[in-house]
């Protein structure tokens, strides 16, 4: 029973440490996935914008305008600027999510260390208390008995 009281907090601390390390690894992987997903979305926006701009140029020429000049050129430039801003926003959002997940991973790793140390300290405190209790019992038995 005494050994179990000492080993229990150690096992609990190690379990918390391992679980938090695993959680941190999962959060780090999620952060990488967020960045990759953001980049993929940005590339889709880029492809869609190029397709739309190509359609705008074709429409300009088909309507008898000289494509890519004057206000038509301004329109194309504005479309490209908006597409670039959309891409940057997607990347910014993905980066923000990734930073948040990495911060959570760091907190999980720190909590794991606290769990481990707490388990070891708890086991040490239990062992110390058991030693004090044992000495108290032994000293009571060894104390001279007064007739009563």
């Amino acid at each position: 029973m005494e050994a179990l009281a000492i080993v229990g907090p150690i096992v609990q601390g190690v379990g918390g440490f391992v679980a938090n390390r695993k959680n941190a690894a999962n959060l780090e992987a999620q952060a990488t996935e967020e960045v990759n997903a953001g980049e993929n979305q940005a590339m889709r926006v880029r492809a869609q914008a190029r397709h739309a701009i190509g359609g705008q140029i074709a429409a300009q020429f088909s309507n008898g305008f000289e494509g890519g000049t004057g206000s038509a050129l301004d329109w194309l430039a504005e479309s490209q600027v908006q597409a670039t801003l959309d891409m940057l926003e997607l990347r910014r959002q993905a980066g923000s999510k990734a930073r948040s997940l990495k911060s959570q991973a760091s907190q999980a790793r720190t909590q794991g260390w606290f769990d481990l140390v707490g388990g070891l300290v708890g086991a040490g405190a239990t062992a110390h208390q058991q030693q004090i209790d044992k000495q108290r019992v032994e000293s009571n038995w060894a104390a001279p008995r007064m007739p009563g």
Side-chain angles (χ1 to χ4, degrees), residues 4-144:
L4 187 58
I6 295 170
V7 172
I10 293 173
V11 170
Q12 187 177 9
V14 170
F17 177 78
V18 169
N20 279 299
R21 299 286 283 192
K22 178 98 172 135
N23 188 28
N26 289 338
L27 289 165
E28 291 281 352
Q30 228 180 320
T32 300
E33 286 299 316
E34 284 293 337
V35 169
N36 291 341
E39 187 60 31
N40 288 339
Q41 286 177 321
M43 290 298 103
R44 278 193 298 276
V45 165
R46 180 176 183 227
Q48 290 169 351
R50 293 180 105 181
H51 180 73
I53 289 170
Q56 290 171 355
I57 292 172
Q60 288 172 8
F61 281 106
S62 70
N63 289 329
F65 291 106
E66 185 177 336
T69 61
S71 62
L73 182 60
D74 293 339
W75 189 34
L76 294 174
E78 180 64 24
S79 294
Q80 189 145 18
V81 166
Q82 290 304 318
T84 301
L85 291 174
D86 289 345
M87 290 171 55
L88 291 173
E89 179 61 18
L90 288 168
R91 288 177 177 146
R92 185 199 64 77
Q93 288 175 2
S96 178
K97 288 178 188 175
R99 282 188 298 280
S100 174
L101 289 165
K102 286 181 180 184
S103 175
Q104 290 175 38
S106 176
Q107 290 170 356
R109 279 191 295 278
T110 300
Q111 184 60 49
W113 283 108
F114 280 121
D115 289 349
L116 181 61
V117 169
L120 295 174
V121 168
T126 300
H128 180 70
Q129 186 61 48
Q130 286 179 358
Q131 186 65 30
I132 290 172
D133 292 346
K134 184 178 178 183
Q135 289 173 353
R136 191 172 293 138
V137 168
E138 288 173 356
S139 67
N140 284 344
W141 282 102

